[in-house]
Every structure is written in structure tokens, then in C-alpha cells.
Amino acid sequence: MAHTTNYTNTFIEVSEDCPAECGVEPPIAENLSIAALHFRLIGEAPYTRTSDDVLFETHALRKGIDLGDEQARAEFFSKGQACLRTSPLSKRYGWGTHHDELGRVAMYPRDSEEYAALAADPALEHRRAMRSSRRV
């Protein structure tokens, strides 16, 4: 059974304990971090990839897997995967993600007018990114 992480017509707001007051670009390291890869994949082409696309491409780039390997993609999604609510972009770096009617994703900094408009849009489903720390 294939699992999916795709949302439609949904805005994922930054987590309640996100330390960034504005959208911050993750540091680019020699070995690209998950945050840096998510930032690059979503930022370079907004509304062209779904959450599943972003997560598989991140996995493939980190593991040296051919992006066109459908068997590897099917194997990756044969188990449940954490969705973009767990992305460091929304947990640590201050970026909300909007998923359109086709599940394609774009990101917006929490201090932008676009973020505020999406956060206030009653036509969208609203979710919070997962907290980084447990409540005490």
C-alpha cells in the first residue's frame, strides 16, 4: 500500500515554538541538510512539486538515488513518511507552506503579507508544523 504526505488546499503555519521571527534561509552545508534541500526544492520552483516529490527528491539526493527510479520511489512510500509539518523550514526557520488544489507546494516567510493572507484564509485547511520540543 502506498502512503502519501500530500495535502490539498492547506496552509501549514510555523510551529508554536519556532525561534525565527521571519523566514530565514537555512545554512548551506557541504552535505546538504534536509532544511537546505527543502528550501532549494520548494523555493526554486514554487507550485511545481508536491510534498511527496519534495520528500522523495530530498531522500534521493541524500542517498545518491536516481530521481527517476520509480521502484525506489515506490519503496520509499511503501512505509509512512513524515509530512512537511515536520520540516525544519516550519519548525526552525520561519517558513509556512501552502499546498494548492493539486497538492503542489510553495513557501512563504512568516513575516510576509502573503503568509498573513494565507494564515487568515478561511477557504484553506490550517495546520501547525510540529513543535520542536515536548510540552512540559
Side-chain angles (χ1 to χ4, degrees):
M1 174 176 150
H3 298 270
T4 185
T5 65
N6 292 337
Y7 286 99
T8 56
N9 295 318
T10 301
F11 185 58
I12 298 175
E13 300 174 35
V14 299
S15 67
E16 294 172 353
D17 63 348
C18 177
E21 294 295 321
C22 59
V24 177
E25 183 174 348
I28 304 298
E30 196 170 306
N31 292 325
L32 288 178
S33 66
I34 290 172
L37 285 168
H38 287 181
F39 186 85
R40 186 179 92 198
L41 292 171
I42 297 169
E44 73 184 8
Y47 297 116
T48 60
R49 292 176 172 92
T50 64
S51 175
D52 283 356
D53 295 336
V54 171
L55 295 176
F56 178 70
E57 287 183 41
T58 298
H59 169 74
L61 289 167
R62 291 178 59 125
K63 300 292 185 183
I65 298 168
D66 179 356
L67 293 177
D69 186 338
E70 290 301 319
Q71 183 176 349
R73 186 179 174 110
E75 185 177 313
F76 181 73
F77 286 109
S78 68
K79 300 181 282 249
Q81 298 295 328
C83 68
L84 285 179
R85 289 182 60 218
T86 65
S87 174
L89 289 180
S90 297
K91 291 173 63 172
R92 172 156 172 47
Y93 294 103
W95 296 88
T97 54
H98 175 239
H99 304 253
D100 72 8
E101 65 279 354
L102 298 176
R104 300 168 304 190
V105 64
M107 62 186 188
Y108 296 93
R110 78 183 305 180
D111 58 322
S112 69
E113 290 179 19
E114 294 92 343
Y115 182 101
L118 289 164
D121 188 343
L124 296 174
E125 180 177 341
H126 295 269
R127 299 279 181 113
R128 278 272 186 194
M130 303 298 285
R131 294 175 56 85
S132 293
S133 59
R134 292 183 179 196
R135 291 183 183 205
V136 179

